[in-house]
Amino acid sequence: MDPIRVPPEMFRFTSGDRAGLYVSILHAFGEANERLETALGLDDVRARLRTVGWLEAIEDEELTDALGKLRDWNLVDVVQNHSENYRTAGEYERRNLQYSLTRQGEAAFAGVVHAMNVLAATGALQTAVLDAIADRLGDLVRELERGTNRRIFTTLIELEAHLEALRGNTKQFNGELQRLLRADGANLTTFHEVKASTVAYLQEFLTNLEHRAHTIAVRIQQVEDHGVGLMQVRALTGADLPQLTATDPGPPWLEHRRAKWEGLRTWFLPVDGSQPRVEQLHIVARKAIIALLQVLDRITESRRRASSAVADFRELARWFTVVPAQDDLHRLWSTVFGLSSARHAHLAHPDPELISSTSPWADAPPVEVSPLLRTSGRTERFSRTGKVRDVAAVRAARAEQARAERAELEAAWDMLDTGGAIRLSSFGALDHSVFERLLDLLGRALGAAPGRGGDRRSTTSDGRIEIRLHPPRDGSTATLTTPRGQFHGPDYEVEIRTAGQRLVRRSAGGRP
């Protein structure tokens, strides 16, 4: 992409003491263009200024000077109107000159309007836009097969509009999301509600995002199978562009369409096999959910605990510095840390009859105190040794169960061993346990990144089972029957390989 070079005087009208007047004049010309009025006289400009909110009185000299400044900046053009009939010289002076926006003036005003709209707008991650992109791609495939050039043109323009909406909303939402992660809300209740709703919004967006992205990638490939260049040429024919200058508008229009299509591929099906941008969006959204949940946990923890342990110990240290007497210090220590007197007054002598109840504690013989009384608050209790349970039978039963489960698993893997590439529909009817194993393998493969040819490859955690998927080019659907119902999905080309001896072989289109 070439570097962007903005003419130095293009946005000069937005600064200075008279910036408000300059912007209002361009706004007046923009409103006139909306009504197909391309040229305005001095009185027309003054009338239009009132409609766009400029209510201050303005003299002809000041308005003429402002229009002259805009002309110097190549934003406004002035021509003489020779088609009118003028009755007086004064009428000629007022109505002879006609002002209109130049191409640079239209671009400058459009840039200001777009900037204000971006400041006022809120970004969003809309699954409806992804569905609309997939629908328009499907319409393109159908129109390329049996449609007209005009329908191809309108469908392609709608597709590009949805893609631009996705890109713009995603960039703006990501910026607002990062600002939300850095924000420190003064009102904790509102702050908590906003972040909780944002987490729910992101989780809702991520639901079925991979399926939607996969559908779009498949339909992009279907369009390219018909020929992207042919589609763009037919769309150019359907656009019926007028040639207002000596330059043919066709080549720039086609170049713009190619750039838009490359942007679509970058988002969903990169040419170089790199990670699609929609997957980067998936990663950003998940990281944002984790960060927001961590912030919510900190907010909840701060509400649950008014002060931290560090603050408590600092306050206790301050108390120790202000307590005057030594006895008070000991009392404070005992109160805070629970170091009271020994808790063994309930213990008795082994033969209480030998000790009179009136004997002072100082004269009575000592009583043994268990060390557990200090550490755990209880004394030892001596009882019969517990009986050791014989677990040999349990161990044998569990080993037998593990062998049965392993045998069942190996039998399921062997039944799924295709011995080559077959269609998913070839499996036909399956036992439900075998179907669950097949569904687990399909999930692992679809979760892997596609290769250059669109193939997806994955293995089980122990590395014994490998599955390869290739998307169907004809868009057919497979139906698998289990005792609990039916499964419908794309009819992928499946190749499942197991390590060791293969008990079952299945040829293309065969049954197990």
Side-chain angles (χ1 to χ4, degrees):
M1 180 178 179
D2 296 334
I4 298 176
R5 295 182 176 88
V6 180
E9 72 280 356
M10 187 170 182
F11 293 102
R12 193 173 297 174
F13 69 97
T14 59
S15 60
D17 298 337
R18 304 173 69 181
L21 177 59
Y22 296 146
V23 173
S24 297
I25 291 175
L26 292 184
H27 192 184
F29 279 105
E31 290 294 323
N33 286 341
E34 290 287 337
R35 293 168 173 80
L36 304 182
E37 299 177 13
T38 57
L40 299 177
L42 199 63
D43 294 334
D44 297 330
V45 174
R46 178 180 284 105
R48 288 290 181 186
L49 283 175
R50 289 192 292 269
T51 63
V52 298
W54 182 270
L55 303 178
E56 299 180 12
I58 181 171
E59 299 295 335
D60 290 349
E61 183 179 356
E62 184 180 2
L63 182 57
T64 304
D65 182 64
L67 289 169
K69 281 290 186 182
L70 293 175
R71 182 185 180 186
D72 295 339
W73 296 331
N74 196 25
L75 302 178
V76 171
D77 194 12
V78 57
V79 296
Q80 291 183 350
N81 185 9
H82 300 289
S83 62
E84 292 286 342
N85 294 322
Y86 307 107
R87 293 175 295 180
T88 63
E91 185 178 356
Y92 172 79
E93 292 179 356
R94 297 188 63 83
R95 299 174 57 188
N96 178 41
L97 298 181
Q98 295 287 315
Y99 299 90
S100 62
L101 287 179
T102 62
R103 189 179 185 88
Q104 184 169 312
E106 293 177 355
F109 179 68
V112 171
V113 173
H114 179 71
M116 300 308 296
N117 290 336
V118 170
L119 288 175
T122 301
L125 301 177
Q126 298 169 329
T127 54
V129 177
L130 295 175
D131 294 335
I133 292 176
D135 293 341
R136 296 294 79 76
L137 286 169
D139 294 341
L140 269 180
V141 174
R142 289 188 290 271
E143 296 299 335
L144 287 171
E145 293 174 351
R146 56 183 180 276
T148 62
N149 294 338
R150 288 183 178 273
R151 285 294 304 160
I152 292 176
F153 164 71
T154 56
T155 306
L156 181 60
I157 295 302
E158 291 177 7
L159 171 64
E160 293 178 356
H162 290 311
L163 177 63
E164 190 62 30
L166 173 66
R167 295 171 59 183
N169 284 334
T170 299
K171 289 188 293 185
Q172 191 165 2
F173 182 82
N174 187 48
E176 294 176 358
L177 182 61
Q178 301 306 318
R179 287 188 289 271
L180 177 62
L181 292 174
R182 297 190 300 266
D184 295 327
N187 189 336
L188 292 180
T189 302
T190 304
F191 195 59
H192 186 280
E193 293 176 354
V194 169
K195 295 205 171 185
S197 62
T198 304
V199 170
Y201 181 82
L202 289 172
Q203 290 174 338
E204 178 67 22
F205 174 74
L206 291 178
T207 303
N208 294 329
L209 176 60
E210 293 181 352
H211 175 71
R212 289 186 171 94
H214 175 71
T215 301
I216 293 175
V218 170
R219 292 182 179 176
I220 289 175
Q221 188 62 51
Q222 291 175 355
V223 172
E224 295 196 341
D225 291 341
H226 288 81
V228 178
L230 176 62
M231 173 196 67
Q232 294 169 347
V233 170
R234 292 184 62 182
L236 175 61
T237 304
D240 195 15
L241 299 177
Q243 187 170 347
L244 302 178
T245 62
T247 305
D248 183 9
W253 193 89
L254 286 176
E255 185 63 28
H256 188 63
R257 301 284 79 74
R258 295 189 190 100
K260 291 288 186 180
W261 188 260
E262 289 300 324
L264 179 64
R265 288 201 60 125
T266 302
W267 268 88
F268 299 100
L269 190 64
V271 180
D272 57 357
S274 60
Q275 185 183 36
R277 194 164 297 172
V278 69
E279 293 187 9
Q280 299 176 8
L281 176 62
H282 191 280
I283 296 173
V284 169
R286 288 199 175 277
K287 288 183 178 179
I289 290 176
I290 296 174
L292 287 171
L293 290 176
Q294 291 174 345
V295 174
L296 292 177
D297 289 341
R298 289 195 295 269
I299 293 176
T300 304
E301 184 64 23
S302 64
R303 288 181 176 182
R304 185 182 298 116
R305 182 179 178 84
S307 60
S308 62
V310 176
D312 293 342
F313 280 111
R314 287 177 178 173
E315 182 65 19
L316 179 61
R318 190 183 65 82
W319 288 356
F320 274 103
T321 59
V322 298
V323 172
Q326 190 74 14
D327 294 338
D328 295 334
L329 290 173
H330 285 291
R331 190 179 301 110
L332 177 60
W333 176 273
S334 300
T335 303
V336 172
F337 296 103
L339 298 180
S340 55
S341 57
R343 294 168 293 173
H344 57 267
H346 64 286
L347 299 179
H349 196 274
D351 191 357
E353 295 181 356
L354 299 179
I355 308 300
S356 174
S357 59
T358 59
S359 299
W361 282 9
D363 299 336
V367 178
E368 294 184 1
V369 179
S370 171
L372 291 176
L373 188 62
R374 168 65 68 182
T375 58
S376 61
R378 58 185 177 85
T379 59
E380 297 94 338
R381 292 184 180 181
F382 299 98
S383 59
R384 183 182 299 176
T385 303
K387 188 176 181 181
V388 179
R389 180 185 176 188
D390 186 6
V391 296
V394 177
R395 186 184 306 148
R398 290 179 178 176
E400 182 63 27
Q401 181 181 0
R403 283 192 295 270
E405 291 177 353
R406 184 63 186 176
E408 179 183 353
L409 179 60
E410 291 180 354
W413 288 143
D414 288 333
M415 287 193 66
L416 292 176
D417 187 357
T418 61
I422 65 170
R423 285 298 186 101
L424 182 61
S425 57
S426 302
F427 286 99
L430 293 173
D431 185 73
H432 189 74
S433 60
V434 178
F435 171 72
E436 287 181 341
R437 304 297 181 188
L438 176 60
L439 199 61
D440 177 64
L441 288 175
L442 292 176
R444 291 175 181 270
L446 291 175
R452 292 183 178 273
D455 294 342
R456 296 174 183 266
R457 175 186 174 277
S458 182
T459 59
T460 56
S461 57
D462 57 2
R464 297 189 59 186
I465 311 298
E466 178 185 6
I467 180 172
R468 295 175 180 268
L469 286 183
H470 187 75
R473 295 185 178 274
D474 53 1
S476 58
T477 302
T479 300
L480 302 182
T481 304
T482 70
R484 301 186 185 180
Q486 289 185 337
F487 169 82
H488 302 279
D491 195 9
Y492 288 98
E493 291 184 3
V494 185
E495 183 179 358
I496 302 176
R497 300 177 180 177
T498 59
Q501 182 181 5
R502 296 183 175 90
L503 301 179
V504 178
R505 291 292 185 272
R506 182 186 288 105
S507 61
R511 296 295 300 272

